[in-house]
Amino acid sequence: MSPEVKDGRSTRWDDHRDARRTELVEAAVAAIDEHGPGASIAEIASSAGVSKPVLYRYFGDKDDLYRAVGRWGADQVLERLIPILVASEDLSLRDRVYAGCDAYLAFLEEHPQVFLLLVEHRTTDDPLADGKEQIASTVAKLMGDTLRRLDVDAAGAEPWAHGLIGMFLSVGEWYLRRDIMSRDATSTYLASFVWHAFDGFASDHGAALDRAGELRVLKPRRKDAR
């Protein structure tokens, strides 16, 4: 067998395996939606229409499966947020922040059991680790680009993005568990925290944003200005 044929078959197998893993993750999400955070591997396998041994051919153990579910959740969040934060040219920056917070909570409402499973399963092998890093990296880039457009030092974008991830996880868990506030009110409070933090950071570094939330600098002033 020539190396080229072997490589081609290997690539096709990798593609098939990735596609099958995606199908099994989606089945796991459906099972968790139905049975809650305590969904067993047997229930997940049944939802996928396979046996537990077949499920474990694609995932090393339960933690591996939960990590894959965590990455699925991160992908879903980013698919909803990126068009709002980047492509919504008809919205001001402030309105985009508010719309993004609402979209995040809307996703949690669609899959509350999946979110609760992931936050409950955070041991030394955090199933959210990959997803958090993926979201934080994307948010940090967006924030860094925005700060540079304001002619503001963007060095704080990465730690700030990681801080936002922690706040969003905490508020999301509170929102689902307590169930004492509407989504509209919760997203408004969350967006207000985010927006005023951003606005204050820009102001501290010599820039001011339009009160309507438009992305332009009013009376820019460098920190070293006299």
Side-chain angles (χ1 to χ4, degrees):
M1 181 183 297
S2 68
E4 290 77 8
V5 172
K6 184 177 180 180
D7 289 345
R9 290 181 178 178
S10 177
T11 299
R12 286 194 297 274
W13 167 247
D14 288 342
D15 291 344
H16 168 77
R17 183 177 181 82
D18 289 344
R20 187 60 174 142
R21 273 178 62 98
T22 298
E23 293 173 356
L24 294 173
V25 168
E26 291 172 351
V29 169
I32 297 165
D33 282 341
E34 178 180 358
H35 300 289
S40 67
I41 290 297
E43 288 170 330
I44 291 173
S46 176
S47 175
V50 300
S51 65
K52 289 200 294 185
V54 169
L55 191 65
Y56 282 128
R57 289 180 195 168
Y58 294 89
F59 304 95
D61 53 24
K62 182 185 289 188
D63 288 337
D64 188 25
L65 174 59
Y66 287 167
R67 282 195 302 274
V69 172
R71 287 190 292 272
W72 172 87
D75 287 340
Q76 293 293 311
V77 169
L78 288 174
E79 284 180 12
R80 296 169 189 234
L81 289 184
I82 296 304
I84 293 171
L85 297 178
V86 175
S88 301
E89 295 298 335
D90 55 325
L91 296 177
S92 70
L93 178 60
R94 182 172 185 166
D95 287 343
R96 279 180 253 175
V97 170
Y98 277 73
C101 289
D102 186 66
Y104 166 71
L105 291 176
F107 171 69
L108 297 194
E109 284 188 344
E110 291 176 20
H111 300 281
Q113 305 302 332
V114 174
F115 179 83
L116 292 176
L117 178 144
L118 293 173
V119 296
E120 287 175 2
H121 198 72
R122 292 165 68 186
T123 58
T124 54
D125 193 10
D126 183 358
L128 287 169
D130 292 345
K132 286 189 298 186
E133 185 62 36
Q134 180 181 357
I135 294 175
S137 296
T138 302
V139 171
K141 184 180 185 307
L142 291 173
M143 292 174 64
D145 290 345
T146 301
L147 291 171
R148 280 185 286 271
R149 289 172 64 186
L150 291 170
D151 200 22
V152 169
D153 178 16
E158 188 167 353
W160 193 12
H162 281 273
L164 285 176
I165 299 304
M167 182 172 70
F168 272 66
L169 287 174
S170 181
V171 171
E173 185 175 6
W174 172 87
Y175 171 67
L176 293 177
R177 291 195 189 281
R178 293 296 302 277
D179 192 24
I180 59 174
M181 186 179 289
S182 69
R183 187 180 94 203
D184 182 63
T186 304
S187 65
T188 297
Y189 281 123
L190 182 58
S192 181
F193 298 152
V194 175
W195 173 254
H196 287 292
F198 182 84
D199 190 17
F201 183 86
S203 178
D204 284 348
H205 287 73
L209 297 174
D210 186 314
R211 292 298 90 190
E214 296 296 344
L215 182 57
R216 58 175 177 266
V217 179
L218 302 180
K219 298 180 181 178
R221 176 178 55 82
R222 292 285 191 176
K223 286 187 69 177
D224 57 357
R226 294 292 185 265

